[in-house]
mmCIF file of all heavy atoms in Angstrom:
data_model
loop_
_atom_site.group_PDB
_atom_site.id
_atom_site.type_symbol
_atom_site.label_atom_id
_atom_site.label_comp_id
_atom_site.label_asym_id
_atom_site.label_seq_id
_atom_site.Cartn_x
_atom_site.Cartn_y
_atom_site.Cartn_z
ATOM 1 N N LEU A 130 114.427 -72.669 182.290
ATOM 2 C CA LEU A 130 113.682 -73.879 181.966
ATOM 3 C C LEU A 130 112.337 -73.864 182.681
ATOM 4 O O LEU A 130 112.275 -73.838 183.903
ATOM 5 C CB LEU A 130 114.481 -75.123 182.370
ATOM 6 C CG LEU A 130 113.847 -76.469 182.010
ATOM 7 C CD1 LEU A 130 113.727 -76.606 180.498
ATOM 8 C CD2 LEU A 130 114.672 -77.602 182.581
ATOM 9 N N PRO A 131 111.230 -73.842 181.922
ATOM 10 C CA PRO A 131 109.915 -73.804 182.552
ATOM 11 C C PRO A 131 109.526 -75.179 183.108
ATOM 12 O O PRO A 131 110.113 -76.192 182.742
ATOM 13 C CB PRO A 131 108.984 -73.397 181.411
ATOM 14 C CG PRO A 131 109.688 -73.813 180.180
ATOM 15 C CD PRO A 131 111.161 -73.765 180.480
ATOM 16 N N ARG A 132 108.545 -75.185 183.962
ATOM 17 C CA ARG A 132 108.019 -76.435 184.490
ATOM 18 C C ARG A 132 107.272 -77.157 183.382
ATOM 19 O O ARG A 132 106.763 -76.541 182.460
ATOM 20 C CB ARG A 132 107.079 -76.159 185.646
ATOM 21 C CG ARG A 132 107.767 -75.482 186.804
ATOM 22 C CD ARG A 132 106.780 -75.168 187.864
ATOM 23 N NE ARG A 132 106.859 -76.228 188.865
ATOM 24 C CZ ARG A 132 106.171 -76.230 189.974
ATOM 25 N NH1 ARG A 132 105.314 -75.273 190.225
ATOM 26 N NH2 ARG A 132 106.306 -77.194 190.837
ATOM 27 N N GLY A 133 107.197 -78.465 183.503
ATOM 28 C CA GLY A 133 106.443 -79.254 182.538
ATOM 29 C C GLY A 133 107.330 -80.198 181.767
ATOM 30 O O GLY A 133 108.555 -80.108 181.801
ATOM 31 N N VAL A 134 106.693 -81.118 181.067
ATOM 32 C CA VAL A 134 107.436 -82.136 180.325
ATOM 33 C C VAL A 134 107.575 -81.813 178.842
ATOM 34 O O VAL A 134 108.342 -82.445 178.152
ATOM 35 C CB VAL A 134 106.783 -83.528 180.483
ATOM 36 C CG1 VAL A 134 106.842 -83.990 181.926
ATOM 37 C CG2 VAL A 134 105.354 -83.531 179.994
ATOM 38 N N ARG A 135 106.865 -80.829 178.363
ATOM 39 C CA ARG A 135 106.896 -80.493 176.936
ATOM 40 C C ARG A 135 107.701 -79.226 176.702
ATOM 41 O O ARG A 135 107.274 -78.313 176.027
ATOM 42 C CB ARG A 135 105.473 -80.375 176.414
ATOM 43 C CG ARG A 135 104.731 -81.716 176.561
ATOM 44 C CD ARG A 135 103.311 -81.645 176.154
ATOM 45 N NE ARG A 135 103.241 -81.505 174.702
ATOM 46 C CZ ARG A 135 102.115 -81.458 174.036
ATOM 47 N NH1 ARG A 135 100.974 -81.529 174.664
ATOM 48 N NH2 ARG A 135 102.116 -81.329 172.730
ATOM 49 N N THR A 136 108.893 -79.190 177.289
ATOM 50 C CA THR A 136 109.756 -78.021 177.165
ATOM 51 C C THR A 136 110.813 -78.266 176.102
ATOM 52 O O THR A 136 111.154 -79.409 175.794
ATOM 53 C CB THR A 136 110.447 -77.706 178.505
ATOM 54 O OG1 THR A 136 111.234 -78.821 178.887
ATOM 55 C CG2 THR A 136 109.436 -77.396 179.587
ATOM 56 N N ILE A 137 111.323 -77.180 175.548
ATOM 57 C CA ILE A 137 112.402 -77.290 174.575
ATOM 58 C C ILE A 137 113.511 -76.312 174.932
ATOM 59 O O ILE A 137 113.259 -75.223 175.420
ATOM 60 C CB ILE A 137 111.915 -77.058 173.124
ATOM 61 C CG1 ILE A 137 111.364 -75.647 172.930
ATOM 62 C CG2 ILE A 137 110.891 -78.097 172.715
ATOM 63 C CD1 ILE A 137 111.039 -75.305 171.484
ATOM 64 N N ASP A 138 114.736 -76.744 174.696
ATOM 65 C CA ASP A 138 115.906 -75.880 174.785
ATOM 66 C C ASP A 138 116.036 -75.258 173.399
ATOM 67 O O ASP A 138 116.299 -75.961 172.413
ATOM 68 C CB ASP A 138 117.130 -76.710 175.152
ATOM 69 C CG ASP A 138 118.395 -75.884 175.260
ATOM 70 O OD1 ASP A 138 118.608 -74.983 174.406
ATOM 71 O OD2 ASP A 138 119.181 -76.141 176.176
ATOM 72 N N ALA A 139 115.838 -73.975 173.304
ATOM 73 C CA ALA A 139 115.777 -73.298 172.006
ATOM 74 C C ALA A 139 117.054 -73.471 171.183
ATOM 75 O O ALA A 139 116.989 -73.643 169.968
ATOM 76 C CB ALA A 139 115.451 -71.822 172.206
ATOM 77 N N GLU A 140 118.222 -73.440 171.816
ATOM 78 C CA GLU A 140 119.477 -73.593 171.068
ATOM 79 C C GLU A 140 119.600 -74.988 170.475
ATOM 80 O O GLU A 140 120.006 -75.146 169.323
ATOM 81 C CB GLU A 140 120.671 -73.303 171.973
ATOM 82 C CG GLU A 140 120.823 -71.844 172.309
ATOM 83 C CD GLU A 140 122.055 -71.571 173.156
ATOM 84 O OE1 GLU A 140 122.882 -72.491 173.363
ATOM 85 O OE2 GLU A 140 122.199 -70.428 173.608
ATOM 86 N N VAL A 141 119.257 -75.999 171.237
ATOM 87 C CA VAL A 141 119.367 -77.387 170.775
ATOM 88 C C VAL A 141 118.386 -77.647 169.635
ATOM 89 O O VAL A 141 118.742 -78.223 168.608
ATOM 90 C CB VAL A 141 119.134 -78.374 171.943
ATOM 91 C CG1 VAL A 141 119.057 -79.809 171.440
ATOM 92 C CG2 VAL A 141 120.228 -78.235 172.987
ATOM 93 N N VAL A 142 117.143 -77.203 169.817
ATOM 94 C CA VAL A 142 116.135 -77.421 168.780
ATOM 95 C C VAL A 142 116.492 -76.642 167.514
ATOM 96 O O VAL A 142 116.380 -77.170 166.409
ATOM 97 C CB VAL A 142 114.726 -77.057 169.296
ATOM 98 C CG1 VAL A 142 113.703 -77.080 168.161
ATOM 99 C CG2 VAL A 142 114.311 -78.031 170.397
ATOM 100 N N SER A 143 116.952 -75.410 167.645
ATOM 101 C CA SER A 143 117.345 -74.623 166.467
ATOM 102 C C SER A 143 118.461 -75.300 165.688
ATOM 103 O O SER A 143 118.430 -75.339 164.452
ATOM 104 C CB SER A 143 117.776 -73.214 166.878
ATOM 105 O OG SER A 143 116.677 -72.487 167.339
ATOM 106 N N ALA A 144 119.438 -75.844 166.389
ATOM 107 C CA ALA A 144 120.532 -76.553 165.720
ATOM 108 C C ALA A 144 120.010 -77.766 164.955
ATOM 109 O O ALA A 144 120.425 -78.022 163.827
ATOM 110 C CB ALA A 144 121.590 -76.965 166.736
ATOM 111 N N SER A 145 119.080 -78.482 165.548
ATOM 112 C CA SER A 145 118.491 -79.645 164.881
ATOM 113 C C SER A 145 117.710 -79.215 163.645
ATOM 114 O O SER A 145 117.737 -79.892 162.611
ATOM 115 C CB SER A 145 117.584 -80.406 165.848
ATOM 116 O OG SER A 145 116.953 -81.467 165.187
#
Side-chain angles (χ1 to χ4, degrees):
L130 183 63
R132 298 177 98 176
V134 296
R135 298 176 71 178
T136 60
I137 63 172
D138 180 319
E140 288 183 8
V141 172
V142 171
S143 291
S145 176

